[in-house]
Amino acid sequence: MRKTGLIVAILCCLGLLASACGGADFESGTAPAPKPLPDRGPVAGSYQQDWQIEPETGTERAGFQLIAGHLVVASKTGLRAYDARTGKPTWHYREPGRQLWSWATTDDAIVYGSYREEGDQIHDRQMTGLDARTGEPLWDAAEEWQVMSDGRGGSSSSPPEPGDAAAGTVLVQDGPLARAGIDARTGDVRWRIEQGDVTDECAVGKPSTGNGDSSGGKLLLAELSCKVPDQILAGIDAESGEIRWHRPIPRFSASGAVMRGGVTLLDDVREDGPPVLLGPDGSEIFTGPDGTSCSCELREAGEDVLLSYRGEGEVEPGLVRIDPRSGDVREVSNWPGRSLSEESVTVGDSLYELGDTASGGQALPMMLSVTDTAKDQAKFAHLPRTGVQPTGDLGQVQQSWFGVAGDRLYLAEQPVDPETESNKPPTIRAYSVADATEPTALGGVQPSDWPDPCAALAGVVRGEDVSTEPGGSVDIGDVTIPAVQCRSISELRSVELQVWWMSGDAKQARQLFDHMDGAGKSTVGADRELTTDEPDQVWLQVGPAIVSVGMDALDSGFSTKTREQALRKIVSNLRKS
């Protein structure tokens, strides 16, 4: 069933044993394998981009994972690994004629499930174990195992997200009714649970085994079938296969449960009801307040877990930190988010979240908040990457993945071709802190140094009865920019200006501006210019400032000459400010 051993691994790597390796195509980099990344994240400071890569993944959505010092990119064509510090390729693994079906990772190994497709039929499923540091094949098995995710099997996802693993054990579906724990390094079956191993009645709502002690993060979640027409949701010891707790769920209905750090989130207890958390022994340790519901997200935070939940009506959303051993609950009151999402990551006690909208208005860059959930403190920064796309391509870039490790942030974005609606290869960027001092204001520039939007419009609209209408403000933490918009109006014409960002210098502003599609040379004296699909709207970079200008006229519109004169006047005003 299984072929292991150093000789087989060497032959696989040399491509001399195709029957044992499934015809694997394995390449290793010439540089030594990178060291694992430190288990910490960066502080809130001034960020710089370290590197950028565009891996070839075909038209499928890609999956991403930080493991053993690598950033691993998964697509149906295989795995590609890059040094997480430099972005340089280290190894890749694929099986010609076969597609990735499911995968899972541990601290030092990757389990790779693949199949062969003929027409609409799937054949010849198998699994391979890989060394995460080098990509070398460790073992392969011709079993039709399928990696499970959040206790469930089913078809592979797109993008292919890693499945469940704990304590070096990967949870797989072994046939329609059985579950097995596979040693990720050897492929050995550590334990197997079949239908007959579960209680006859499936009616136990409290722990059936175990002493109630926390097993840390060494539990796996599984949906199991019983002898009667029902199912159970079970917490299984990853090393021994012992069922530590189980509770009934209706057959053929997905439980909607997820497990993080041995704690299980239930969001189907009752329709539109509050979230419920089960501790490592299966007991209920937390129920959300009345008026709250899921969509919820569960994250590990050191030895505790974080739960975000949604508010209904006048009930505000919330974020709580829960000790699974004692059940103690603490609200994170200084949390700046509204709900956790795929763009949120925890490293130890720190919660990292990306967003493009500041309180009270929009800011141009992607905003980063770093919340110390133990101390209940939040700090803010920004990435040199636009969070607002002013051209007609808004919404055509999908933010695929956000990762944090070893003093770096990683952001993968995968664009969609608007004509074919198919995915293009992703772009992955890595960021580190250039200055560890937290910015005192947006971009490190004091609010008083931001340009006055009404002063930038002085003299642009001429004639009698010209009025100005200032407005808009942006809040990031304790910093407030009082006015970022202004409109200058006459009887026939109006010009509206919005200040989107004020960088520390012109170089930073240009780097940010050039992230926007269509940015180019200016014809009106600005450093850079971008014309959007909106009529009579243009974006300008003038020194450290980035603004947008919209023009409207009730007569025949702005002539080319009048439009150019207005923009040149705005550029001149901004340079004087």
Side-chain angles (χ1 to χ4, degrees):
M1 177 184 79
R2 182 170 48 84
K3 307 173 182 68
T4 58
L6 180 61
I7 295 177
V8 171
I10 293 174
L11 292 175
C12 289
C13 296
L14 295 176
L16 300 178
L17 195 57
S19 62
C21 306
D25 178 5
F26 157 70
E27 288 186 8
S28 176
T30 56
K35 295 180 180 179
L37 297 171
D39 188 19
R40 63 172 183 264
V43 297
S46 298
Y47 280 82
Q48 64 184 6
Q49 181 175 310
D50 290 341
W51 52 259
Q52 175 178 323
I53 57 175
E54 296 181 1
E56 290 294 330
T57 60
T59 60
E60 299 289 336
R61 292 284 306 277
F64 309 89
Q65 185 83 338
L66 288 164
I67 175 174
H70 299 275
L71 174 57
V72 178
V73 182
S75 66
K76 284 196 171 183
T77 59
L79 303 178
R80 293 169 175 80
Y82 302 86
D83 188 321
R85 291 176 173 82
T86 65
K88 295 181 179 179
T90 51
W91 58 262
H92 86 250
Y93 179 88
R94 71 184 183 96
E95 299 177 356
R98 303 179 64 84
Q99 295 187 17
L100 172 65
W101 181 25
S102 58
W103 65 307
T105 67
T106 62
D107 291 340
D108 58 0
I110 300 174
V111 171
Y112 180 100
S114 65
Y115 65 85
R116 192 180 308 279
E117 190 173 36
E118 297 178 6
D120 295 333
Q121 301 297 317
I122 292 176
H123 301 276
D124 190 19
R125 291 173 177 168
Q126 68 177 35
M127 275 196 174
T128 303
L130 306 174
D131 187 300
R133 296 181 66 249
T134 64
E136 297 179 37
L138 301 172
W139 56 268
D140 77 290
E143 305 292 333
E144 293 200 353
W145 292 331
Q146 180 178 354
V147 173
M148 304 191 70
S149 179
D150 290 331
R152 297 176 291 278
S155 61
S156 60
S157 62
S158 180
E161 298 294 341
D164 298 342
T169 303
V170 175
L171 180 66
V172 300
Q173 180 173 319
D174 188 6
L177 300 177
R179 305 291 182 263
I182 307 301
D183 188 308
R185 294 289 303 181
T186 67
D188 292 329
V189 178
R190 286 184 169 182
W191 46 264
R192 192 171 188 272
I193 299 175
E194 301 196 34
Q195 181 185 33
D197 297 329
V198 184
T199 59
D200 292 345
E201 296 78 15
C202 231
V204 179
K206 60 182 180 179
S208 59
T209 57
N211 56 14
D213 292 337
S214 169
S215 61
K218 297 181 180 180
L219 284 183
L220 292 168
L221 185 69
E223 292 182 3
L224 303 171
S225 296
C226 309
K227 292 181 179 178
V228 298
D230 211 341
Q231 293 186 162
I232 63 170
L233 185 67
I236 302 174
D237 187 288
E239 296 179 279
S240 68
E242 175 189 5
I243 299 177
R244 290 188 173 256
W245 59 264
H246 57 81
R247 59 190 297 149
I249 56 174
R251 182 176 287 274
F252 305 125
S253 67
S255 66
V258 297
M259 177 182 283
R260 301 289 183 267
V263 174
T264 303
L265 166 64
L266 303 177
D267 63 2
D268 66 338
V269 175
R270 59 180 182 269
E271 186 176 358
D272 295 328
V276 174
L277 290 187
L278 307 181
D281 63 354
S283 62
E284 294 187 6
I285 60 173
F286 175 78
T287 299
D290 290 339
T292 62
S293 64
C294 286
S295 302
C296 302
E297 292 290 341
L298 191 63
R299 298 282 189 273
E300 295 183 55
E303 295 183 348
D304 297 344
V305 294
L306 294 174
L307 173 71
S308 73
Y309 48 80
R310 184 179 60 196
E312 301 290 346
E314 297 182 357
V315 179
E316 293 291 325
L319 178 72
V320 290
R321 180 171 173 138
I322 302 168
D323 185 335
R325 298 161 298 280
S326 65
D328 289 343
V329 178
R330 286 179 291 162
E331 180 183 2
V332 183
S333 58
N334 287 318
W335 175 50
R338 302 291 294 177
S339 63
L340 295 183
S341 65
E342 293 179 357
E343 291 75 48
S344 63
V345 178
T346 53
V347 179
D349 293 326
S350 296
L351 170 63
Y352 295 82
E353 297 178 271
L354 285 183
D356 59 9
T357 303
S359 175
Q362 279 190 307
L364 185 67
M366 279 189 172
M367 306 307 299
L368 171 71
S369 64
V370 184
T371 304
D372 187 323
T373 61
K375 297 180 180 178
D376 198 5
Q377 298 174 346
K379 296 183 178 181
F380 302 87
H382 71 277
L383 299 186
R385 174 82 179 113
T386 53
V388 176
Q389 189 59 261
T391 69
D393 292 332
L394 181 63
Q396 295 298 315
V397 175
Q398 299 179 7
Q399 186 167 306
S400 303
W401 176 80
F402 173 49
V404 179
D407 293 336
R408 278 185 175 85
L409 308 177
Y410 300 88
L411 177 63
E413 296 173 305
Q414 192 158 13
V416 176
D417 188 320
E419 294 183 359
T420 64
E421 296 185 355
S422 60
N423 297 285
K424 296 180 180 180
T427 297
I428 306 173
R429 297 178 176 89
Y431 303 92
S432 65
V433 174
D435 183 355
T437 304
E438 183 186 8
T440 57
L442 299 180
V445 179
Q446 294 290 345
S448 58
D449 293 331
W450 274 53
D452 180 342
C454 290
L457 288 179
V460 173
V461 177
R462 299 179 181 180
E464 296 181 1
D465 300 325
V466 176
S467 62
T468 57
E469 299 177 356
S473 65
V474 173
D475 298 328
I476 296 289
D478 297 330
V479 177
T480 299
I481 309 300
V484 294
Q485 298 173 350
C486 190
R487 190 180 183 194
S488 185
I489 310 169
S490 69
E491 262 188 50
L492 298 176
R493 293 177 179 173
S494 70
V495 177
E496 185 173 356
L497 181 142
Q498 176 164 342
V499 181
W500 285 88
W501 194 247
M502 186 68 174
S503 295
D505 54 43
K507 181 180 178 181
Q508 293 177 9
R510 175 163 181 164
Q511 290 175 342
L512 186 61
F513 195 88
D514 284 348
H515 268 294
M516 296 187 288
D517 295 338
K521 294 181 179 179
S522 176
T523 60
V524 295
D527 296 80
R528 302 287 280 170
E529 184 176 332
L530 186 156
T531 301
T532 73
D533 293 341
E534 296 293 329
D536 294 319
Q537 186 179 53
V538 64
W539 286 58
L540 303 171
Q541 178 229 328
V542 182
I546 296 175
V547 303
S548 66
V549 181
M551 300 182 181
D552 190 20
L554 299 178
D555 53 13
S556 59
F558 282 88
S559 66
T560 301
K561 181 179 180 180
T562 306
R563 177 181 181 277
E564 182 176 314
Q565 289 175 341
L567 292 174
R568 286 188 178 277
K569 181 62 176 176
I570 289 172
V571 171
S572 176
N573 289 340
L574 287 170
R575 292 202 186 281
K576 293 176 182 178
S577 62

